[in-house]
Amino acid sequence: MPPDHPSAFRETPPGPVVAFILRLGKALHQYGTPAHRLEEQLRQVSERFDVEARFFSTPTSIFASFGAPELLQTSLIRVEPGEMDLERLTLLDALTYEVIHHKLSPELGTQRVEAILQAPPRYGLSITLLCWVLAAGAAARLFGGGPREMCVAGLSSLSIGVLDQVLRRGPRAARVLESAAALLSSVLAVAAASIFGPLSVQVATLSGLIVLLPGLGLTVAINELATRNLISGTSRLTGAVLVFLQLTFGVALGGRLAGLLPEPPPALSPLPLPFWTVVGALVVVALAVTVLFRARPEDIGWIVTAGALAFGGARWGAQGLGTELGAFVGALLLGMASNAMARLRNRPAVVTLVPGMMLLVPGSLGFRSLESLLARDVVTGIGTAFSMLLIAVAIAVGLLFANALVPSRRVL
């Protein structure tokens, strides 16, 4: 190469380092890492190996450019939004720590990433379906339901969990999961009310869909927007709204089909249950979320503690600030506790942060808002939608304050 050629004076990025960065980025994205955390993690790796790099993440792609601006080597990775897997995220975070501290070479790091991705899931189908049932039944109690609503919600969630496993076999079929699940939950709730007696159809239907509600996605989208990741946040927000619309359409269609059944008796107030059942429901939800988000068994106690802080903080904050802004207090306590636990255990804060957020996210309000709009109750629908957005913003701001007050040592 001629000595005056500009690339003759530029150092080519090391191939093994680039390969590790690209594989790590795709793996982190696959298991639900938000854009701002993913980009920061990859930036730390590239800086530690003195590789000039720029990263841009969206819910469906990752752009990675290496080298000087005039001599960029750019890679485009097409990815599908994946499911949260807290155990694999923990392993990937530990692997990244070893690589950037030169305890492991990038070549071996890439091989370890592949090994982590190829490892069998920790929890089998039976325990996963059981946790679908437990999450729905506990959610029905937290939504004010009684024993009947809890049983119907658990049955609906079990049916949806089986449907999810069946539809996973084909990518095209999996795209109708939300609408089909909402249709199934709505019909089962009305049928149960017609056959077994009065119950709150709305509580049973909503609780049966609790695992599919995109409240977490909505909150992550607001958080990405707050951290100036506008494209990723807007895309994720659009995806969450689309899921809400699919669920609402399924419930509306199910209500029409359920009209062929005998009209259910008027709903009565659920049987009052003692307060300890709420505490029990919180523990059950935390345990179910631990399995559904594939966290490690040794993290269960920490997850239950974080969930209790989030729920208790939101309830306490609601007494002085109102229901919507009370979520700010819950998110603040959850974020500070998660970061403190991460410092204490030298583990990613996301392990306790994500499950705890499930007790704060406004997914149920979004569903009720669209349901009201579908029933042409525009005022109620708009008011509920505003409450949903306010809760999402309150959670995002609470997490930002928590990161400022108690910074985490790890990106994740």
Side-chain angles (χ1 to χ4, degrees), residues 334-398:
L334 172 64
M336 293 174 63
S338 295
N339 289 344
M341 293 178 188
R343 283 176 167 269
L344 178 65
R345 304 173 63 217
N346 198 25
R347 293 289 188 274
V350 70
V351 172
T352 53
L353 185 64
V354 171
M357 284 177 60
M358 289 301 296
L359 299 175
L360 299 174
V361 294
S364 61
L365 287 178
F367 177 79
R368 289 171 176 169
S369 170
L370 292 176
E371 193 176 41
S372 299
L373 292 175
L374 193 64
R376 292 180 173 80
D377 189 356
V378 178
V379 175
T380 302
I382 293 177
T384 308
F386 179 76
S387 297
M388 173 192 69
L389 290 176
L390 188 58
I391 290 177
V393 172
I395 294 173
V397 174

Side-chain angles (χ1 to χ4, degrees), residues 74 153 155 236 252 267 276 317 394-395:
T74 303
L155 177 61
R236 204 179 297 272
W276 65 264
I395 294 173

Side-chain angles (χ1 to χ4, degrees), residues 209-260:
L209 296 171
I210 191 66
V211 178
L212 297 180
L213 290 177
L216 180 61
L218 174 65
T219 305
V220 171
I222 297 296
N223 200 4
E224 287 181 337
L225 292 173
T227 55
R228 303 300 188 271
N229 289 271
L230 302 181
I231 294 180
S232 180
T234 303
S235 301
R236 204 179 297 272
L237 181 62
T238 303
V241 172
L242 180 59
V243 173
F244 278 128
L245 291 173
Q246 290 176 311
L247 292 174
T248 305
F249 171 80
V251 169
L253 181 58
R256 293 292 185 180
L257 296 178
L260 302 175

Side-chain angles (χ1 to χ4, degrees), residues 70 82 124 331:
E70 67 275 12

Side-chain angles (χ1 to χ4, degrees), residues 21-35 38 42 57-62 77-86 88-89 92 113-119 121 168 236 292-294 412:
I21 291 174
L22 294 179
R23 198 67 191 95
L24 175 65
K26 186 174 182 180
L28 290 174
H29 192 289
Q30 182 178 343
Y31 296 121
T33 307
L38 189 150
L42 299 185
S57 173
T58 75
T60 57
S61 62
I62 302 174
I77 304 175
R78 184 70 168 83
V79 288
E80 289 291 335
E83 296 182 346
M84 186 67 67
D85 192 315
L86 295 177
R88 283 189 167 95
L89 285 178
L92 290 171
V113 171
E114 294 296 335
I116 292 172
L117 297 181
Q118 297 300 324
R168 283 176 182 269
R236 204 179 297 272
L292 295 176
F293 284 161
R294 302 177 180 88
L412 300 182

Side-chain angles (χ1 to χ4, degrees), residues 67-131:
E70 67 275 12
L71 297 169
L72 289 180
Q73 300 177 10
T74 303
S75 297
L76 167 61
I77 304 175
R78 184 70 168 83
V79 288
E80 289 291 335
E83 296 182 346
M84 186 67 67
D85 192 315
L86 295 177
E87 180 177 18
R88 283 189 167 95
L89 285 178
T90 301
L91 294 175
L92 290 171
D93 180 76
L95 172 61
T96 304
Y97 182 85
E98 292 182 359
V99 172
I100 64 178
H101 286 83
H102 304 292
K103 296 180 180 179
L104 201 66
S105 68
E107 294 91 341
L108 291 178
T110 303
Q111 297 176 14
R112 288 272 298 276
V113 171
E114 294 296 335
I116 292 172
L117 297 181
Q118 297 300 324
R122 177 179 290 275
Y123 304 105
L125 178 59
S126 299
I127 191 173
T128 301
L129 291 177
L130 175 62
C131 288

